[in-house]
Amino acid sequence: MAKAGAKSGGSGNKGLKRKAATEEPQEAAVAEDGTTESRVQPSKAAAFPPGFSVSEIKNKQRRHLMFTRWKQQQRKEKLAAKKKLKKEREALGDKAPPKPIPKTIDNQRVYDETTVDPNDEEVAYDEATDEFASYFNRQTSPKILITTSDRPHGRTVRLCEQLSTVIPNSHVYYRRGLALKKIIPQCISRDFTDLIVINEDRKIPNGLILSHLPNGPTAHFKMSSVRLRKEIKRRGKDPTEHIPEIILNNFTTRLGHSVGRMFASLFPHNPQFIGRQVATFHNQRDYIFFRFHRYIFKSEKKVGIQELGPRFTLKLRSLQKGTFDSKYGEYEWVHKPREMDTSRRKFHL
Amino acid sequence: MAAAAARWNHVWVGTDTGILKGVNLQRKQAANFTPSGQPRREEAVSALCWGAGGETQILVGCADGTVKNFSTEEGRFQGQRHCSGGEGIFRGLAQVDGTLITCVDSGILRVWHDNDKEASSDPLLELRVGPGVCRMRQDPARPHMVATGGKENALKVWDLQGSEEPVFRAKNVRNDWLDLRVPIWDQDIQFLPESQKLVTCTGYHQVRVYDPASPQRRPVLEATYGEYPLTAMTLTPGGNSVIVGNTHGQLAEIDLRQGRLLVCLKGLAGSVRGLQCHPSKPLLASCGLDRVLRVHRIRNPRGLDHKVYLKSQLNCLLLSGRDNWEDEPHEPQEPNKVPSEDTETDELWASLEAAAKRKLPDLEQSQGALQTRQRKKKRPGSTSS
C-alpha cells in the first residue's frame, strides 16, 4: 500500500511536474514571444527565467527525475542534429565540406624537434657510424644471451624459453646469482652481440635490460602485459626455425631511431620469407608493443595473420651509453616522470 | 654570410662526430663547421679552449691527437698541429704566452711551441702526471699554473715555469667509517678566483674544496650531491657557488661557503658533458649526451632560456664571455643582397665595426638593440642548422 501510494505519489509527482513544466513554458513562450518550441524546451524554459538549475533541487528523487528528463532531451536533440547534418550532406552531395577529423592524442601530438628527417646528412652519418654500424654493414651477425634475474619463477622461465624460439641464434642461461658486470666480459669473449636480462618481481617478469655487447648502449625497459603462448587465444602452432621478418613501427625521433636500431640488431639481417613469420615492434605513445605473427595466405589477394609467440609491452626507462653499468655509466636518456610527463600530448620515442 | 656571422655566435659546441657547432642564440641559428667538410668520428672533439687574442680563435682538440685552430672571424679552420705522445683523448687544452699546453688521458702533459706551421716540433716541456687523467685545467689568473686530476689520480697543481714536481699534491681523505680507503676520481677541476683554492667534483658524487695556502693537504670542504657521478662543473658569477652536473642530467648549484645545495635545474635528459657560466650574466650553458644545448638563467627568475637541438652527441662547449649579447647592427642588413661576392666587404665592415664598437660601446649597443628588435619582426625565430 505504501508502495502503491508512493508510486502514485511519484507518478502524481511526475504528472504534477509535467503539468507545471508544460504550464511554465507556455508562460515563458508567451513571455518570450513564442520563439522557442514548446516541445523542445520544457526543462530548458524551466531553467531559464528563474535561473535555477537541476542541481539545486534538494529532493534526491525529484532531482534524479529532472536530470533523467534533461538527459533524454539532450539525447533527442543530438540525434536530431545528427540527422539534420546527414541530410544536409546528402543534399549537397559532392560540394559537402569534408568531415571534421576527431582529435585524438596521437594526432594532437606536440611536434618533437628531434624527429629524424630522412634527408638529414648529419643524422645519417651519426647512424652510419654508431655502435650498430657493424650489424647494419653485415659484418657481424647477432648472437643473443637471454637470462633473468636471480632465482626466476615459472612464468619468467617460460617467457625466456619462448623468447629464445622467437629470436634466432639465442641461448638461455640460468643466472646463478652472477653479477652482470662479470657476465659481460665473458659474453664479449664468446662473441655474443647482445644480452637480454628479464627482470622478475613477485613471480612475474616486469623489466627488460637489453645491452648491445662490444661497447654498445644498454636500454632498460619496463615490461608489462606479458602473455605466454598458452594464454593467447586463437594462436597458431609453435614458431619454426625460420628467421622472421621485422617490423618497426613509428620510431620517429632520434631516440626512437636508436631504440629501433637496437631491436633490429637482435635479428639476423636475412629474413626467410618462406617461413612467413614476422616480429613487430610497434611504438605508440611511448609504449612499444611486441607481437609475433605468422602470415596465412588464403588466396592470391587475401592474407590473414595468426599470432604465435609471446606478447609483451615495453616502456623505455633509460638508455645508457656503454654496457651495463647503472651506477657509473653515462646515460643518453633517462625518463624523468615529473619533468617529461607533464604534457599528455608529448612523447619521446 | 655564415663566415661573417660566425663571430657573433654565443656558444661553440664540439661534438662526437667531429663537427664544431656555432650557435647564435639571438638569431636562433646553429651552424656546422668541419675541418674537412665531412663529419668524421676520428676527429671527435674532446677539448675546446679559446686561443690567443680574446675570443677570436678556438683551439679544438680532436680524438686523433691533433689540435686544430679555428678562427671565429673567418668561420673556418685555419691550421692544425699534431700533438702526438701518449694514448687517449685530450683531457685539457690551454694556451699561454704563445705556447700550447695539452694533456692526454694517459697522463702525458706537454707544452708545445705555438708556431703556425704544420710541422710538429718537439714539445718544450713534458710532464708525467699519472695515468687516468680526467681533467686538466689552467688557472685563469696565473696562466702558467695547471691542475690535473683523474681516476685514482689525486689532484696535483703544477707550475710550468717551476720544477718538475707538483706545487701542490692533494692527500686523500681519511678512511671512512668502515676503515676502508675512499677511492679517488676527480672528474672536473676549477680554480676559484681571488684565492689559491681549487674545487673538484668527483665521480663518487663529492664536491671538494682544496686550499694550497693552508698546511692541510686534505680537502677543506666536502659536499655530496646525488647518487651518480658528477661529470662537469662550473663556477657561478660571484664565486661563492658552483654548478655541477651528473650522469643522469641533474644540475645542482652548491654553495661553497656552507657546502649545501642551493637549487637544482631541470631539463636535461642525458649525461652532462659540458657546463659553463657566463662571467657576468646569470646564464648557464649546458650540453650533454641527449644532443641538446640548453641555456638556463640561474637567478631571477630561474629557468630555461634557450634549448637548441644539435643532432650529434655534444662533448664540450665554450660560452662567449662577451657582454654585448646582440649582433652588430650593420651585419644583418646584408642577407637580401648577393651574399657570395660581398664576403670581402663584409669582413671589411666587420673589422671596422669592431674597432668603432670598442670606443663607443653605448651608442652602438642602443642602435643594435633597436635594429635587432626590428629584425626580429621580419624573421621567425626558428632553430636551424
Side-chain angles (χ1 to χ4, degrees):
Chain A
M1 259 189 69
K3 261 196 185 171
K7 217 183 173 179
S8 65
S11 57
N13 245 349
K14 247 192 191 167
L16 270 173
K17 269 282 147 61
R18 277 247 163 77
K19 276 195 195 150
T22 45
E23 275 168 14
E24 283 200 65
Q26 283 172 10
E27 290 172 7
V30 164
E32 291 174 348
D33 297 330
T35 40
T36 55
E37 301 174 56
S38 54
R39 234 317 92 166
V40 180
Q41 320 266 350
S43 43
K44 244 196 184 172
F48 237 126
F52 110 128
S53 74
V54 176
S55 56
E56 281 175 19
I57 303 176
K58 296 301 177 186
N59 183 332
K60 187 168 179 174
Q61 267 192 338
R62 265 189 238 161
R63 186 170 68 234
H64 180 68
L65 216 68
M66 293 299 284
F67 179 72
T68 36
R69 220 162 346 116
W70 177 81
K71 245 342 213 192
Q72 283 166 359
Q73 208 47 254
Q74 293 292 94
R75 233 176 275 140
K76 256 198 227 171
E77 282 172 30
K78 191 171 175 187
L79 211 58
K82 257 195 189 168
K83 267 194 179 166
K84 194 168 145 214
L85 203 59
K86 193 170 175 187
K87 265 199 184 147
E88 280 176 15
R89 280 191 84 87
E90 280 175 17
L92 281 179
D94 277 338
K95 286 180 285 183
K99 272 192 176 173
I101 311 168
K103 290 189 196 175
T104 62
I105 291 188
D106 295 298
N107 56 20
Q108 300 293 100
R109 177 178 176 174
V110 164
Y111 174 70
D112 197 329
E113 55 182 355
T114 62
T115 308
V116 175
D117 177 21
N119 304 330
D120 197 325
E121 301 163 341
E122 192 178 333
V123 177
Y125 177 78
D126 200 10
E127 292 198 336
T129 52
D130 69 356
E131 295 102 343
F132 303 106
S134 61
Y135 165 79
F136 284 99
N137 293 337
R138 319 286 181 108
Q139 283 162 0
T140 51
S141 63
K143 186 174 172 194
I144 323 288
L145 176 70
I146 304 181
T147 183
T148 64
S149 52
D150 199 20
R151 293 181 153 266
H153 284 85
R155 265 187 90 83
T156 315
V157 171
R158 262 173 268 138
L159 175 68
C160 287
E161 287 167 22
Q162 292 180 8
L163 262 186
S164 71
T165 56
V166 162
I167 306 178
N169 201 9
S170 59
H171 309 262
V172 181
Y173 280 88
Y174 177 57
R175 172 98 174 269
R176 303 180 50 180
L178 301 166
L180 279 183
K181 285 200 202 171
K182 295 210 173 114
I183 298 179
I184 285 175
Q186 294 219 2
C187 284
I188 298 177
S189 66
R190 286 173 173 76
D191 281 337
F192 279 93
T193 57
D194 288 90
L195 171 69
I196 299 182
V197 182
I198 299 193
N199 189 58
E200 185 202 16
D201 182 51
R202 294 177 66 127
K203 304 182 190 176
I204 45 166
N206 72 347
L208 183 88
I209 296 176
L210 174 55
S211 187
H212 189 71
L213 273 185
N215 44 4
T218 305
H220 178 30
F221 296 95
K222 236 195 295 201
M223 185 153 62
S224 52
S225 286
V226 179
R227 303 280 175 262
L228 301 175
R229 262 185 212 136
K230 63 179 186 179
E231 294 157 10
I232 298 179
K233 296 184 181 169
R234 293 180 288 274
R235 68 177 165 96
K237 291 198 185 149
D238 284 340
T240 55
E241 294 290 322
H242 296 104
I243 298 176
E245 193 188 330
I246 318 297
I247 295 180
L248 296 164
N249 269 342
N250 213 6
F251 288 97
T252 48
T253 64
R254 186 68 185 85
L255 178 67
H257 262 236
S258 308
V259 173
R261 282 165 73 87
M262 270 195 103
F263 286 130
S265 71
L266 287 177
F267 296 87
H269 223 124
N270 45 334
Q272 289 171 313
F273 296 107
I274 197 153
R276 301 173 284 135
Q277 288 176 139
V278 54
T280 309
F281 292 92
H282 174 88
N283 171 38
Q284 188 154 345
R285 300 195 197 174
D286 281 354
Y287 284 91
I288 303 170
F289 300 91
F290 172 77
R291 301 285 183 269
F292 196 71
H293 293 282
R294 178 185 284 138
Y295 287 120
I296 305 288
F297 291 99
K298 299 173 191 163
S299 71
E300 271 266 331
K301 299 200 179 159
K302 281 174 69 173
V303 194
I305 48 171
Q306 50 174 221
E307 187 159 3
L308 306 180
R311 76 155 78 148
F312 47 84
T313 315
L314 299 172
K315 186 166 190 200
L316 183 67
R317 278 176 72 170
S318 65
L319 183 63
Q320 186 214 322
K321 194 165 157 84
T323 54
F324 180 79
D325 190 347
S326 60
K327 259 211 300 189
Y328 302 117
E330 289 197 309
Y331 285 84
E332 263 191 53
W333 188 82
V334 175
H335 180 247
K336 297 185 179 173
R338 296 199 76 183
E339 292 177 32
M340 297 180 184
D341 285 350
T342 45
S343 164
R344 295 190 72 171
R345 286 173 236 104
K346 180 152 181 50
F347 307 110
H348 308 280
L349 268 191
Chain B
M1 187 57 207
R7 50 164 65 209
W8 307 120
N9 287 335
H10 299 109
V11 194
W12 295 92
V13 195
T15 63
D16 241 356
T17 46
I19 305 173
L20 179 69
K21 291 182 186 261
V23 182
N24 190 325
L25 300 168
Q26 209 71 8
R27 282 193 241 169
K28 302 192 197 296
Q29 283 175 351
N32 283 3
F33 299 100
T34 42
S36 52
Q38 288 295 318
R40 286 176 62 222
R41 225 167 253 272
E42 298 83 31
E43 294 174 347
V45 177
S46 56
L48 281 181
C49 83
W50 292 112
E55 294 182 352
T56 53
Q57 285 196 347
I58 298 180
L59 296 169
V60 180
C62 299
D64 54 359
T66 56
V67 175
K68 298 183 164 72
N69 206 327
F70 178 80
S71 157
T72 52
E73 310 279 308
E74 296 172 35
R76 59 181 185 86
F77 282 86
Q78 280 180 329
Q80 67 167 32
R81 33 181 319 125
H82 194 76
C83 300
S84 60
E87 298 145 5
I89 56 176
F90 286 110
R91 294 291 186 180
L93 266 188
Q95 218 265 146
V96 62
D97 292 342
T99 57
L100 174 70
I101 313 172
T102 61
C103 185
V104 283
D105 210 15
S106 62
I108 299 191
L109 190 150
R110 284 184 170 176
V111 182
W112 305 81
H113 192 71
D114 196 23
N115 48 355
D116 283 333
K117 299 170 204 151
E118 285 263 352
S120 59
S121 47
D122 284 327
L124 288 174
L125 178 64
E126 183 173 318
L127 291 172
R128 278 178 199 277
V129 177
V133 176
C134 287
R135 185 73 78 186
M136 182 211 54
R137 189 76 78 169
Q138 179 193 40
D139 189 351
R142 297 169 295 168
H144 52 94
M145 306 282 277
V146 292
T148 58
K151 188 150 191 178
E152 295 308 325
N153 187 340
L155 175 70
K156 299 183 184 82
V157 181
W158 306 84
D159 186 352
L160 297 173
Q161 293 169 346
S163 66
E164 296 261 322
E165 289 298 310
V167 168
F168 173 70
R169 190 193 285 266
K171 194 170 173 182
N172 195 5
V173 293
R174 292 206 166 86
N175 286 355
D176 62 11
W177 61 292
L178 293 171
D179 202 22
L180 293 171
R181 175 189 173 266
V182 177
I184 302 175
W185 187 4
D186 286 324
Q187 287 256 39
D188 201 351
I189 310 171
Q190 288 282 352
F191 280 86
L192 285 174
E194 292 153 22
S195 75
Q196 282 189 353
K197 295 190 203 169
L198 302 115
V199 201
T200 57
C201 73
T202 69
Y204 299 107
H205 46 85
Q206 299 147 332
V207 176
R208 293 174 168 162
V209 178
Y210 293 87
D211 193 354
S214 74
Q216 180 180 328
R217 277 169 60 205
R218 290 204 163 114
V220 166
L221 179 75
E222 181 170 314
T224 57
Y225 169 67
E227 341 164 304
Y228 297 102
L230 303 174
T231 49
M233 182 167 71
T234 180
L235 299 168
T236 51
N240 288 323
S241 57
V242 286
I243 300 188
V244 291
N246 66 6
T247 55
H248 256 226
Q250 296 162 341
L251 292 175
E253 187 173 349
I254 301 200
D255 185 23
L256 291 177
R257 293 173 291 189
Q258 291 188 320
R260 63 186 188 90
L261 172 67
L262 288 176
V263 260
C264 284
L265 295 164
K266 58 182 189 175
L268 272 89
S271 172
V272 179
R273 282 278 178 101
L275 268 187
Q276 194 172 349
C277 253
H278 191 274
S280 51
K281 300 188 199 194
L283 292 177
L284 170 77
S286 59
C287 73
L289 291 183
D290 59 350
R291 304 181 166 96
V292 177
L293 168 75
R294 287 180 176 85
V295 177
H296 289 258
R297 185 167 289 274
I298 38 183
R299 47 188 77 103
N300 54 306
R302 252 186 290 275
L304 184 65
D305 256 356
H306 301 97
K307 184 170 100 151
V308 184
Y309 171 60
L310 303 166
K311 303 157 191 171
S312 314
Q313 290 182 344
L314 311 170
N315 260 342
C316 39
L317 63 81
L318 271 182
L319 182 61
S320 146
R322 65 177 204 256
D323 280 327
N324 182 13
W325 215 240
E326 284 145 359
D327 293 349
E328 284 300 284
H330 283 263
E331 267 215 63
Q333 288 170 0
E334 316 266 10
N336 298 329
K337 301 183 190 170
V338 182
S340 49
E341 54 137 341
D342 274 346
T343 34
E344 280 177 281
T345 6
D346 276 357
E347 283 174 27
L348 188 63
W349 266 120
S351 58
L352 278 178
E353 272 313 309
K357 190 192 145 205
R358 248 177 266 133
K359 285 178 195 165
L360 302 163
D362 326 24
L363 259 178
E364 292 301 311
Q365 267 191 22
S366 52
Q367 275 185 22
L370 277 172
Q371 290 189 327
T372 45
R373 241 172 270 138
Q374 286 173 351
R375 243 195 326 110
K376 269 180 187 166
K377 282 183 193 164
K378 290 178 197 165
R379 287 196 219 174
S382 60
T383 314
S384 61
S385 69

